């Protein structure tokens, strides 16, 4: 860690310049279009929330059916009647998502899929604040929103993002690894949480045209993995599900 800190200090002028260059250079892709709430499927009723940043919002996919939400719904709709909601916005950090939920009407969910933390890395949220906000978010979802399962997606593998030049890519990658390692330690103490690891091969073909967000193939693998976790978890659901 001391080596990382020393490197960041020495490289600070370069890192600032590269960060400005990246902000200017990376294309601003839109969030995926399509419904963000509704009911689909058949079977026991499952109340699902997808919460997060631009990746949860589907940046890199044209429509929601090709993004994370749609891929999860496609994998689960044959097994559950899913009342779904997507609450996500480009640029969101963990604190933003927590504030959104606290300001929204009381509503409960069985399962929440979280995709948060990438902007905490790129925008420099301090480690202790990041961990505190992440655990506050989990507590809110469990105790105030009734979540039986919170699927926490790993921080994005920024060390492999082709849009980021070196050494900025290396510095952000190291910070992401540090935050993820400490977060995993805390998540392992929460019975409702299951981490979802990114084991995707993020070459250019798996990513969006900006080299920074998932592409449709990456969303397909991500959604399939999240759906598998949900199906494997024994949930207490309402079996008297009405037709959508």
């Amino acid at each position: 860690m001391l080596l990382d800190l020393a490197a960041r200090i020495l490289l600070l002028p370069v890192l600032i310049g590269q960060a400005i260059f990246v902000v200017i250079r990376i294309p601003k892709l839109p969030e995926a279009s399509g419904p963000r709430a509704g009911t689909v499927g058949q079977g026991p009723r499952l109340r699902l929330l997808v919460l997060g940043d631009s990746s949860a919002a589907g940046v890199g996919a044209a429509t929601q059916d090709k993004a994370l939400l749609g891929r999860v719904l496609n994998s689960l709709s044959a097994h559950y009647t899913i009342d779904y909601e997507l609450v996500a916005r480009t640029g969101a950090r963990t604190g933003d998502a927590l504030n959104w939920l606290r300001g929204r009407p009381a509503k409960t969910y069985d399962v929440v899929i979280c995709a948060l933390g990438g902007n905490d890395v790129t925008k420099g949220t301090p480690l202790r604040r990041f961990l505190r906000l992440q655990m506050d978010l989990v507590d809110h979802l469990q105790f105030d929103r009734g979540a039986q399962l919170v699927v926490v997606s790993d921080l994005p593998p920024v060390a492999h993002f082709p849009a980021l030049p070196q050494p900025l890519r290396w510095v952000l990658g190291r910070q992401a690894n540090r935050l993820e390692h400490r977060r995993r330690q805390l998540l392992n103490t929460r019975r409702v949480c299951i981490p979802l690891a990114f084991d995707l091969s993020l070459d250019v073909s798996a990513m969006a045209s900006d080299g920074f967000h998932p592409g449709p193939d990456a969303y397909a693998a991500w959604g399939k993995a999240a759906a598998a976790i949900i199906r494997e978890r024994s949930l207490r659901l309402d079996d008297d599900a009405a037709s959508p």
Side-chain angles (χ1 to χ4, degrees):
M1 184 171 179
L2 292 177
L3 177 61
D4 288 355
L5 179 61
R8 289 200 298 270
I9 293 173
L10 291 173
L11 294 170
L12 186 59
V14 175
L15 298 175
I16 292 174
Q18 288 187 334
I20 294 172
F21 175 75
V22 166
V23 169
I24 296 173
R25 174 176 173 268
I26 292 182
K28 302 299 187 291
L29 299 181
E31 297 177 356
S33 64
R36 294 192 172 204
T39 301
V40 298
Q42 58 185 0
R45 188 169 299 279
L46 176 70
R47 298 165 299 175
L48 172 69
L49 171 66
V50 176
L51 177 70
D53 53 25
S54 56
S55 59
V59 172
T63 57
Q64 288 295 341
D65 64 314
K66 301 296 183 183
L68 175 63
L69 172 65
R71 302 297 191 173
V72 172
L73 295 179
N74 183 62
S75 295
L76 294 178
S77 59
H79 310 282
Y80 305 100
T81 297
I82 309 166
D83 294 324
Y84 68 89
E85 186 174 6
L86 170 64
V87 179
R89 187 179 306 158
T90 297
R93 288 182 276 187
T94 304
D96 298 319
L98 183 56
N99 289 334
W100 298 341
L101 289 176
R102 286 172 171 168
R104 292 170 70 88
K107 185 176 181 179
T108 57
Y109 305 95
D110 300 303
V111 176
V112 181
I113 300 174
C114 289
L116 286 162
N119 293 301
D120 290 285
V121 173
T122 59
K123 296 179 180 179
T125 302
L127 173 62
R128 289 185 180 179
R129 176 173 173 77
F130 171 73
L131 296 176
R132 176 175 59 79
L133 288 170
Q134 285 275 317
M135 294 304 104
D136 286 349
L137 178 61
V138 170
D139 287 344
H140 179 82
L141 292 172
Q142 179 180 359
F143 299 114
D144 297 299
R145 299 291 177 167
Q148 301 178 44
L149 172 63
V150 180
V151 180
V152 182
S153 300
D154 272 5
L155 296 180
V158 293
H160 302 287
F161 283 2
L164 298 177
Q166 297 289 12
L168 181 63
R169 187 192 306 181
W170 177 81
V171 169
L172 292 179
R174 295 279 290 185
Q175 179 66 355
N177 290 340
R178 185 178 303 111
L179 266 59
E180 188 59 67
H181 175 71
R182 292 292 301 278
R183 180 173 70 168
R184 279 289 189 105
Q185 292 177 327
L186 293 177
L187 292 179
N188 287 337
T189 68
R190 305 300 176 97
R191 64 175 181 81
V192 299
C193 293
I194 294 184
L196 173 55
F198 276 91
D199 56 358
L200 307 174
S201 177
L202 283 182
D203 56 21
V204 175
S205 66
M207 300 193 70
S209 59
D210 62 359
F212 198 81
H213 288 94
D217 290 344
Y219 280 125
W222 185 5
K224 183 177 180 180
I229 289 174
I230 295 169
R231 289 205 62 200
E232 289 168 4
R233 186 70 172 248
S234 178
L235 300 171
R236 299 181 301 277
L237 302 176
D238 179 9
D239 290 322
D240 186 21
S243 300

